[in-house]
Amino acid sequence: MCNYCAFKETLVLLVTFVAGDMANKLITEIGLPKSIGHIFAARNIITAKDALSLTEFELMELLDVGLEQVKFAVALISEVTSPPYQTVQSLLEQRVQNEYLMGHLPTHLKGLDAALCGGLPFGALTELVGPSGIGKTQFCLKISLLAALPSCYGGLDGHVIYIDVESKFSSRRLIEIGINSFPEIFCLEGMAKEMAGRITVLRPGSLTEFTESLQKVKVSVLQHQVKLLIIDSMAALVSGEYEQGPQRQHPLGWHISFIKSLAEFSRIPVLMTNQVRSRVANQISQYVFQAESRELMVEDNTEKFDSRLVAALGIHWAHAVNVRLVLESRSGQRFIKVAKSPMSPPLAFPFQVTSMGIVLLNDDGVEMEGSQINAIDHQGHSDIIYHGDER
Amino acid sequence: MEVLRLPLSASQKGKLISAGYTSMASLSSISPSHLALELKIPQTEALEILKSVSNGSKLESTSSSHTIVNGAQSAWEMLQEEETLVHITTSCADLDNILGGGISCKEVTEIGGVPGIGKTQLGVQLVVNVQIPYDYGGVGGKAIYIDTEGSFMVERALQIAEACSADMAEYSRLYRKGSQARESKMMHPKDFLENIFYFRVCSYTEQIALVNYLDKFITEHKDVKAVIIDSITFHFRQDFDDMALRTRVLGGMALNLMKLARKFGLAVVILNQVTTKYADGSFRLALALGDSWSHASTNRIILHWNGNQRYAYIDKSPSLRSASAPYSVTLEGIRNSASNNKRVKNT
């Protein structure tokens, strides 16, 4: 696909996104025959969403027209409202041509970057989950710098929006990581100011404020050269004990959808941190058919681990994120695990927090299996948030 | 309006139109007593009207079968058809075995599981495998991938396509000698990717619209033999306050998908998420979207962990026996699980 076509397509996508997704397309703009168009309006069916939320039979009743007419109208509305398609080959070519490393933000952790095919994926949600004090914010600080760095140093040369819910952002620590990791850049005159100037920190005090700030973020992302969005942490937004009752809709459901669309249309990586909570005692993760055929079940190994921690925010959240990185500690050694990724095997890498931020001790990683992949360990971990050099 | 073409009196036609019956289709499934009530005419007259409608539509019937109900098929005919049913391989022999050859075309198969178990992996494997040519035992079709969550990674599709291409080259080298080795259909990874139509859906409205539009799209791209929806759940889990509406909308979508599968003889695979349900005094895992949705698919497969091994379990199928098969996710895609099959690391 030629450059112009790719550009045109991106523009179309951007315009569509800014205008609001196709659900809100007005019936009047779809080009239905006048007679039926008027009937839709008369019955208060204004947008495509209104029309498509009803079955053909309901529409027939509501509009008082025959089935053929309803079918024709629905087919036309559907065709116009449907998203466009692309062949995967053209998607690939687009990425290779237009995007840095085919759409990845390197973390400078060699083993992790290799496992993630280059780094944090653009247009997708990456979750960082682990017990408090393990190094999530350290990771976020480092990656903000990496996105801000000029391209000649391997960065994205862009702005970063850092939504700091728990007031954990430390500018001093950010500069320290910068000076220690990239001394040749930071010793340059005004570099520290320039880099730090590219990172915008938002501090919403409540879920409502967060929702409002998301709208502002969307505008900013499209207008400025924002290359990374960090939310530290998602779990803190849902105050109090969130019980995942089966009927209740997830309180962050809308936000997750919104952030996903934002990430996709602007093709930026989004990094979100999550907390852990203890596992409820009677929470057996089995299907009905598994419970019935107990003889076939292998003994669940998680009981043997000293792990009673699970990621907060529930299973709906776990489905929604594209990449899940688990930070944990076992026998005093910290690990960063790729627990969920569409393109990587489940590898665990030992790491340390140093003056340069997070550093891997081993780039090969150990492959996890079964319940080890998602278990979150918290053994032998001293709850030191940050205390200078930890060697 | 079709009703005008019927051999009826002007007043009868007038009554039909003012009551809203303008087409043959609208009269095809109505009872005489109901019609009589609507038009305020005696039942015998209503019966006459309906007879003339069915006479009209019978002339259009192209079925040469002797079925007693227009538009239906006899069980024998269906059996003949089933013998020729094609399957799409999953690249895991054990899984193919319990599925009777693979994912069957002409049916809707639902695949559900916890995050990270391999649903998207299986989806991508299928959109690649559907393209395997006839000569290699495949279906030779194109594929549609409907992504509602953004889990589709182009790099991963490329990896799986490369592995499939390599497998085909290996097969060709080993089994096709002499004239057959003319490389009649050498498929490169690029060819695979060229035949996958990718749609990104951002709301449930778009999802419904797209499923409606697929009829027209596939009519224009008759080679499509697989439609994967990853996942069907995502947009329906949060935007809905009205659960009854959700059930109706999902029901409509399910019917559309089944129609699509039958009409074009393609495999519709819907990936579903998992939720927790409180039953028998404890929390159990279940596929999302509720009990009413569980009727939507013809076959249902649940992917789950058992110890350190991934398994696929046939939870529901009209013709397959309930069985479990182990599988693994490797660099090449979905493959058989073998204890000595050490995964090649991605370095």
Side-chain angles (χ1 to χ4, degrees):
Chain A
M1 190 188 284
C2 64
N3 260 331
Y4 176 65
C5 300
F7 167 74
K8 225 173 42 160
E9 251 183 51
T10 325
L11 196 61
V12 166
L13 285 174
L14 259 178
V15 167
T16 315
F17 180 64
V18 171
D21 86 283
M22 292 306 270
N24 295 322
K25 184 121 187 113
L26 297 175
I27 300 280
T28 43
E29 290 173 8
I30 286 178
L32 286 171
K34 281 246 163 58
S35 52
I36 197 152
H38 290 320
I39 303 179
F40 270 95
R43 294 279 178 270
N44 214 27
I45 300 180
I46 311 292
T47 63
K49 181 172 173 174
D50 298 332
L52 294 174
S53 303
L54 299 167
T55 62
E56 279 178 355
F57 186 72
E58 285 167 337
L59 278 171
M60 260 177 72
E61 283 202 335
L62 186 64
L63 305 174
D64 208 5
V65 292
L67 187 63
E68 282 309 308
Q69 277 190 292
V70 163
K71 277 194 168 160
F72 174 77
V74 169
L76 186 56
I77 297 172
S78 299
E79 183 168 354
V80 173
T81 315
S82 283
Y85 78 90
Q86 245 186 312
T87 62
V88 176
Q89 177 62 19
S90 90
L91 259 182
L92 184 69
E93 284 165 4
Q94 222 175 30
R95 305 263 166 96
V96 166
Q97 248 180 358
N98 302 343
E99 289 183 355
Y100 185 70
L101 283 190
M102 253 185 66
H104 292 275
L105 169 59
T107 62
H108 282 222
L109 300 174
K110 194 153 152 257
L112 184 63
D113 283 344
L116 293 177
C117 294
L120 300 190
F122 288 7
L125 305 188
T126 304
E127 176 195 16
L128 204 59
V129 60
S132 74
I134 199 139
K136 303 190 291 293
T137 304
Q138 302 300 309
F139 187 97
C140 293
L141 291 173
K142 179 98 182 252
I143 205 111
S144 318
L145 265 183
L146 292 172
L149 281 181
S151 17
C152 48
Y153 296 110
L156 296 182
D157 204 17
H159 287 263
V160 176
I161 294 184
Y162 194 112
I163 302 184
D164 180 24
V165 182
E166 295 174 303
S167 300
K168 285 214 185 115
F169 186 88
S170 160
S171 316
R172 196 177 320 148
R173 175 62 175 147
L174 179 78
I175 303 291
E176 183 187 35
I177 293 178
I179 292 174
N180 284 299
S181 313
F182 310 103
E184 70 282 8
I185 309 171
F186 275 78
C187 64
L188 296 173
E189 189 71 40
M191 235 359 195
K193 180 173 174 191
E194 172 68 27
M195 293 295 109
R198 289 183 183 180
I199 301 172
T200 309
V201 181
L202 285 163
R203 292 212 158 111
S206 66
L207 187 58
T208 331
E209 277 180 49
F210 175 69
T211 316
E212 283 165 8
S213 48
L214 273 186
Q215 301 282 8
K216 286 186 261 177
V217 165
K218 168 179 163 181
V219 171
S220 182
V221 162
L222 295 173
Q223 283 177 344
H224 305 288
Q225 286 296 302
V226 174
K227 297 290 174 78
L228 172 64
L229 172 62
I230 299 183
I231 304 174
D232 180 15
S233 68
M234 281 303 273
L237 291 167
V238 187
S239 53
E241 275 306 302
Y242 158 65
E243 280 309 311
Q244 36 173 63
Q247 299 309 320
R248 201 167 310 172
Q249 304 268 309
H250 199 287
L252 291 175
W254 176 84
H255 307 80
I256 298 171
S257 261
F258 185 89
I259 298 170
K260 262 205 193 219
S261 318
L262 178 58
E264 298 217 359
F265 279 100
S266 52
R267 290 296 298 165
I268 59 168
V270 174
L271 181 64
M272 300 183 281
T273 65
N274 189 10
Q275 294 165 351
V276 293
R277 57 173 182 81
S278 32
R279 191 149 52 135
V280 178
N282 64 349
Q283 195 162 16
I284 311 169
S285 44
Q286 278 185 34
Y287 293 95
V288 173
F289 72 85
Q290 283 179 298
E292 286 166 0
S293 56
R294 217 173 289 270
E295 320 85 41
L296 300 173
M297 262 289 282
V298 170
E299 268 301 304
D300 190 1
N301 284 325
T302 43
E303 301 307 307
K304 301 193 178 123
F305 280 98
D306 185 29
S307 151
R308 280 180 206 99
L309 297 177
V310 289
L313 297 179
I315 202 161
H316 172 54
W317 165 260
H319 275 296
V321 300
N322 301 106
V323 173
R324 169 173 271 184
L325 301 173
V326 172
L327 299 178
E328 62 171 4
S329 129
R330 264 181 277 136
S331 322
Q333 174 61 62
R334 302 188 198 195
F335 287 89
I336 177 165
K337 286 197 298 210
V338 181
K340 176 183 175 187
S341 162
M343 59 230 168
S344 342
L347 295 172
F349 303 91
F351 75 90
Q352 254 188 321
V353 180
T354 69
S355 58
M356 295 195 295
I358 290 201
V359 164
L360 291 188
L361 298 175
N362 175 337
D363 281 318
D364 291 326
V366 173
E367 188 158 339
M368 307 269 97
E369 285 183 318
S371 42
Q372 276 183 320
I373 298 177
N374 281 302
I376 305 178
D377 257 321
H378 192 65
Q379 287 172 325
H381 172 57
S382 49
D383 275 320
I384 299 173
I385 307 285
Y386 169 64
H387 251 225
D389 264 331
E390 268 186 307
R391 292 240 163 83
Chain B
M1 285 181 235
E2 294 171 310
V3 156
L4 292 173
R5 288 193 267 122
L6 287 172
L8 300 170
S9 73
S11 60
Q12 281 174 331
K13 286 187 213 173
K15 282 189 193 155
L16 278 171
I17 292 172
S18 56
Y21 299 101
T22 51
S23 69
M24 306 281 244
S26 55
L27 287 169
S28 58
S29 48
I30 196 169
S31 71
S33 44
H34 186 98
L35 190 63
L37 223 70
E38 283 262 321
L39 304 184
K40 299 191 181 48
I41 50 174
Q43 259 204 13
T44 43
E45 204 181 339
L47 200 56
E48 296 279 344
I49 294 178
L50 287 176
K51 241 199 249 177
S52 69
V53 170
S54 61
N55 275 337
S57 50
K58 214 183 269 178
L59 292 168
E60 295 158 14
S61 163
T62 51
S63 166
S64 56
S65 61
H66 306 292
T67 48
I68 51 176
V69 179
N70 208 13
Q73 263 184 317
S74 74
W76 180 253
E77 275 166 16
M78 286 176 73
L79 182 62
Q80 302 300 301
E81 257 184 31
E82 256 179 52
E83 313 273 83
T84 57
L85 207 59
V86 274
H87 295 271
I88 305 174
T89 173
T90 59
S91 287
C92 167
D94 295 331
L95 185 49
D96 280 350
N97 275 338
I98 61 168
L99 288 173
I103 301 287
S104 52
C105 292
K106 234 181 176 189
E107 286 182 345
V108 176
T109 305
E110 180 183 359
I111 302 179
V114 293
I117 193 83
K119 304 185 291 295
T120 303
Q121 301 300 310
L122 187 51
V124 179
Q125 186 72 64
L126 289 171
V127 290
V128 166
N129 287 358
V130 71
Q131 301 181 46
I132 297 175
Y134 291 122
D135 306 341
Y136 293 84
V139 173
K142 298 194 181 176
I144 292 177
Y145 195 97
I146 300 176
D147 188 2
T148 66
E149 301 180 340
S151 1
F152 184 83
M153 296 282 157
V154 174
E155 306 90 329
R156 185 56 174 151
L158 182 62
Q159 280 176 350
I160 293 182
E162 283 169 346
C164 191
S165 187
D167 283 349
M168 276 171 60
E170 182 71 10
Y171 178 86
S172 184
R173 192 180 66 81
L174 291 173
Y175 296 109
R176 292 149 59 83
K177 314 281 172 147
S179 57
Q180 281 185 325
R182 265 179 297 117
E183 322 257 43
S184 47
K185 200 107 190 254
M186 200 47 228
M187 286 197 70
H188 299 283
K190 186 176 141 147
D191 300 325
F192 279 108
L193 299 187
E194 192 62 47
N195 292 331
I196 305 173
F197 300 109
Y198 175 82
F199 290 86
R200 176 72 173 98
V201 161
C202 298
S203 67
Y204 77 82
T205 311
E206 283 189 12
Q207 197 170 325
I208 300 169
L210 182 54
V211 171
N212 288 341
Y213 174 58
L214 279 181
D215 190 276
K216 181 164 180 211
F217 185 86
I218 300 179
T219 314
E220 292 163 5
H221 297 87
K222 281 245 158 63
D223 304 337
V224 170
K225 286 287 169 222
V227 174
I228 315 284
I229 306 183
D230 177 14
S231 63
I232 195 114
T233 331
F234 185 67
H235 294 296
F236 286 88
R237 278 182 106 165
Q238 57 242 20
D239 294 335
F240 275 87
D241 302 314
D242 183 354
M243 282 299 165
L245 172 65
R246 188 180 92 162
T247 310
R248 284 202 306 279
V249 163
L250 283 174
M253 199 161 60
L255 284 177
N256 270 337
L257 291 171
M258 287 200 230
K259 257 196 285 188
L260 219 58
R262 264 202 318 271
K263 178 174 174 184
F264 296 103
L266 46 84
V268 175
V269 176
I270 36 191
L271 303 182
N272 197 358
Q273 293 177 353
V274 152
T275 182
T276 45
K277 221 162 62 159
Y278 194 75
D280 300 331
S282 60
F283 284 102
R284 292 255 178 257
L285 291 178
L287 294 196
L289 296 180
D291 295 320
S292 38
W293 172 257
S294 56
H295 300 294
S297 50
T298 313
N299 304 302
R300 187 158 59 242
I301 301 172
I302 297 185
L303 305 180
H304 65 100
W305 284 104
N306 193 355
N308 283 345
Q309 181 61 56
R310 295 173 210 250
Y311 277 87
Y313 172 75
I314 299 185
D315 188 51
K316 167 185 166 186
S317 168
S319 52
L320 298 168
R321 196 191 311 173
S322 233
S324 239
Y327 71 95
S328 62
V329 181
T330 69
L331 182 66
E332 291 97 22
I334 302 281
R335 292 291 187 271
N336 260 347
S337 93
S339 45
N340 54 351
N341 190 12
K342 249 327 173 182
R343 180 138 176 206
V344 175
K345 278 206 284 269
N346 196 7
T347 36

